[in-house]
């Protein structure tokens, strides 16, 4: 007898920003960036699998089209991307994203993955305190200390992933398990089995991507020269983005 067919997870990627020019030229949108990440993750499964065996991806520009949201009945999960915007602001599209995220979480069937800004949106939707971190920026490849649950989920003792944020989730919502922390940011990841998983960092980023973002932010005066140089020293360090993506895949199949 053949093995039972398991349908791919219908994952809607909610694009909360437009990539910088170099990333846009190569990947098109942040949906394309995450497609690349998940393709790498699927290739490292045992046995390796094509992306199409695991995920059925769709992309949704929720910043420029307030009606871009997928019908929750037509999907299995959403992934909220990073963004240059702040999750605690009250622009109409951000308010609508918080409401949609809360609807998915309360509905009980559609699972939610949050990355950076998406992590903060999930926190806000669940009533956590979100704001600008007085400890400052985290940028480039950063070491994360994992909780016991984080070690189980990621299959590692600690992880290194890219960071690009100054905003943070300051409190853990009720019933949520913390996955990781750093010296700068105490809530680096959140988890509820079969409901949500988030990371403050950027598993989808590569050294080339972060280099371009750092250069643009330095020239734009957003980060200082010292911060820029610190980030550039670590930009090509080994990171565990693919391992985090494999954890996302496992979560989606729980």
């Amino acid at each position: 007898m053949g093995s039972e067919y398991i349908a791919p997870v219908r994952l809607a990627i909610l694009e909360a920003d437009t990539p910088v020019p170099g990333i846009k030229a190569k990947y098109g949108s942040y949906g394309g960036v995450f497609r690349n990440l998940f393709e790498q993750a699927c290739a490292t499964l045992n046995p390796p699998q094509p992306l199409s065996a695991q995920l059925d991806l769709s992309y949704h520009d929720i910043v420029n089209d307030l009606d871009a949201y997928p019908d929750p009945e037509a999907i299995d999960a959403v992934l909220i991307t990073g963004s240059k915007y702040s999750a605690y602001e009250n622009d109409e599209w951000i308010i609508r994203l918080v409401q949609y995220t809360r609807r998915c979480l309360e509905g009980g069937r559609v699972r939610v993955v949050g990355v950076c800004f998406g992590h903060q949106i999930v926190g806000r939707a669940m009533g956590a305190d979100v704001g600008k971190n007085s400890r400052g920026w985290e940028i480039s490849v950063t070491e994360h200390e994992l909780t016991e649950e984080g070690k189980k989920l990621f299959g590692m003792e600690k992880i290194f992933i890219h960071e690009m944020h100054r905003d943070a989730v300051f409190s853990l919502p009720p019933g949520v398990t913390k996955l990781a922390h750093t010296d700068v940011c105490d809530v680096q990841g959140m988890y509820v089995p079969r409901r949500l998983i988030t990371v403050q960092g950027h598993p989808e980023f590569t050294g080339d991507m972060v280099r371009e973002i750092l250069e643009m932010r330095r020239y734009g005066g957003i980060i200082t020269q010292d911060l820029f140089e610190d980030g550039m020293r670590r930009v090509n360090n080994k990171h565990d983005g693919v391992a985090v993506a494999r954890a996302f895949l496992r979560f989606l199949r729980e």
Side-chain angles (χ1 to χ4, degrees):
M1 294 179 63
S3 58
E4 181 182 355
Y5 171 73
I6 301 176
V9 173
R10 298 169 297 175
L11 176 63
I13 298 180
L14 307 184
E15 299 174 323
D17 203 353
T18 300
V20 296
I23 299 175
K24 186 175 182 180
K26 187 171 183 178
Y27 299 100
S29 69
Y30 276 120
V33 172
F34 277 98
R35 172 178 289 274
N36 175 68
L37 174 67
F38 283 122
E39 284 175 343
Q40 294 181 66
C42 288
T44 62
L45 295 175
N46 185 19
Q49 297 182 30
L51 176 68
S52 59
Q54 287 282 322
L55 298 175
D56 177 7
L57 297 179
S58 59
Y59 311 155
H60 307 266
D61 179 357
I62 57 169
V63 179
N64 298 301
D65 182 359
L66 295 178
D67 297 318
Y69 289 94
D71 179 354
E73 294 303 315
I75 58 173
D76 303 307
V78 296
L79 184 154
I80 309 166
T81 73
S83 179
K84 62 178 172 286
Y85 302 102
S86 292
Y88 51 82
E89 298 290 353
N90 290 314
D91 298 31
E92 184 178 0
W93 75 269
I94 294 176
I95 293 294
R96 187 160 305 190
L97 175 57
V98 172
Q99 292 171 340
Y100 182 86
T101 303
R102 187 179 295 125
R103 177 184 173 192
C104 289
L105 290 169
E106 291 177 352
R109 189 187 65 81
V110 175
R111 302 183 184 192
V112 178
V113 180
V115 172
C116 195
F117 171 86
H119 159 80
Q120 297 159 16
I121 288 290
V122 172
R124 179 176 176 178
M126 299 186 75
D129 185 19
V130 179
K132 186 168 289 188
N133 191 349
S134 62
R135 299 179 190 175
W137 284 88
E138 280 190 306
I139 58 172
S140 206
V141 177
T142 301
E143 180 179 335
H144 295 60
E145 295 292 334
L146 297 177
T147 63
E148 289 306 310
E149 191 64 41
K151 292 174 184 178
K152 292 179 192 174
L153 274 174
F154 297 120
M156 311 174 81
E157 287 299 306
K158 58 179 61 179
I159 59 170
F160 293 79
I161 57 175
H162 278 287
E163 295 276 5
M164 188 61 65
H165 76 107
R166 188 173 179 182
D167 297 341
V169 176
F170 296 125
S171 59
L172 207 60
V176 173
T177 299
K178 185 168 76 171
L179 296 179
H181 73 273
T182 62
D183 291 341
V184 174
C185 178
D186 189 53
V187 183
Q188 282 282 354
M190 302 186 295
Y191 175 65
V192 176
R194 299 178 296 280
R195 298 300 318 118
L196 67 95
I197 188 170
T198 73
V199 291
Q200 175 59 68
H202 284 277
E204 79 281 16
F205 277 176
T206 65
D208 287 343
M209 294 179 193
V210 174
R211 181 180 294 105
E212 182 180 6
I213 295 169
L214 287 173
E215 288 173 346
M216 290 187 67
R217 293 193 169 186
R218 177 186 62 166
Y219 289 122
I222 297 171
I223 61 173
T224 64
Q225 181 68 21
D226 286 349
L227 198 58
F228 170 78
E229 291 175 0
D230 177 51
M232 290 296 282
R233 278 192 292 269
R234 291 177 284 110
V235 76
N236 284 323
N237 286 4
K238 180 181 178 297
H239 66 94
D240 300 307
V242 172
V244 173
R246 285 198 299 268
F248 289 170
L249 291 174
R250 290 191 293 270
F251 161 76
L252 292 171
R253 295 291 189 183
E254 285 179 344

